[in-house]
Amino acid sequence: MMQFTETPSRPLHQITPFSIPTMNTTNQVHQARQWPGFPTSSKGLASFGDANCMEQLLVHCANAIESNDATLAQQILWVLNNIAPPDGDSNQRLTCAFLRALIVRAAKIGTCKMLAAMANARFNLSIDTHSFSVIELANYVDLTPWHRFGFTAANAAILEAVEGYSVIHIVDLSSTHCMQIPTLIDAIANRLEGPPMVKLTVPGVSKDLPPMLDLTYEMLGSKLVNFARSRNVVLEFRVVPSTRADGFASLIDQLRLQHLVYAETSEALVINCHMMLHYIPEETLSPLPNANSIPYTFEPSSNQSLRTMFLKALRGLNPTIVVLVDEDADLTSNNLVCRLRSAFNYLWIPYDTIDTFLPKGSKQRQWYEADICWKVENVIAHEGLQRVERVESKSRWVQRMRNAEFRGVGFGEEAVSEVRTMLDEHAAGWGLKKEEDDLVLTWKGHNVVFATAWLPA
């Protein structure tokens, strides 16, 4: 956890609740073309209260919106609105987020004109994601092992890989704004051979992805430098303007230039990828944007995504270690229903975990769920370059890394022990399993986040 002295002073932001206008249900439902199994009374709604039925309703609604069947879509939306209140149990809140995203999609694509008009006229569908102070974000990250798992596993692998180096260059590609770095600095400061010099490079990406930070990277860098100094570690902090949309091309260029300068020195190059690489466009986003202008040293081809190009460029830097941590799901399908099913069967997990430790009405719960709602909307309501939440499964990333000529390295017993100790601080539903060289965080037996470590083959 970041241990800066700072007083959080941000106002509370909530997800804006919405409701579908209630129809004269019995008459209008019978007059409209029937959807098989559609309940015609409030008693019938009770049978739709479990997660499987909610998922089926969402699928039927998505198909109706895609086929421009406004009557059927409105019927199903009425049911969903009645069985999935925004302040209900975890399944209801999850379904409410998907319901909202489907209405946004209808309004956005305009194929279902009745729903689009209804959404534009009656609803405020914006999500008020919170901009965190450093202290707030550190506390937010500490709430669950969702991020801490990756921090703990990655730090253990990095410390082992950089042993003996006098200079360590860390490239932090992280969605959590360097929240991992203080614990890594703490560990480095306690090395038997004394602390090395640390260079920290981050891409100056646009801050439009949750969780969002309320200060600039330059200000964050100043805090990190001061924190490192308090641990007797010399830290150089640098921001490289770069964007995930072009595969961090500017960052790769800068790293390549530095590599030419420092190749013969005892500088370790650590590439730390924490839930950021899935924002790089992949194969299902076609055609490849600006492929001809990307200054990588190999030719892009029709079947080569920016993710593939990025990983091959990393391999060309001959890094000391690459750590890749991400969510273990597949949200890349171009088919809306496939994507909806995958997201629904993965994103129930954060809603379920929240009920174990955050009370209704708490600020942190509202911030946490607003960020999940943002993810749901991006997966469901958007397409093309706007759909940036393109999470891939562990097996797919493993294959990508191998294709880029990296080889996996296992996590030692010390790393496993540290992860287990960290999990003991959280709810009993969290677990850890090893899959070959990799570590996987689980919730009630379901894969959540994976951690992998790689060396140049």
Side-chain angles (χ1 to χ4, degrees), residues 77-93:
L77 285 169
W78 176 82
V79 178
L80 287 167
N81 187 64
N82 279 276
I83 66 175
D87 58 350
D89 63 28
S90 58
N91 285 331
Q92 290 171 323
R93 301 196 310 277

Side-chain angles (χ1 to χ4, degrees), residues 360-379:
K360 286 185 178 181
S362 71
K363 290 182 180 181
Q364 287 182 319
R365 179 160 167 166
Q366 289 161 3
W367 298 341
Y368 199 97
E369 293 196 359
D371 286 358
I372 306 170
C373 281
W374 186 96
K375 184 188 289 281
V376 171
E377 179 183 314
N378 192 265
V379 171

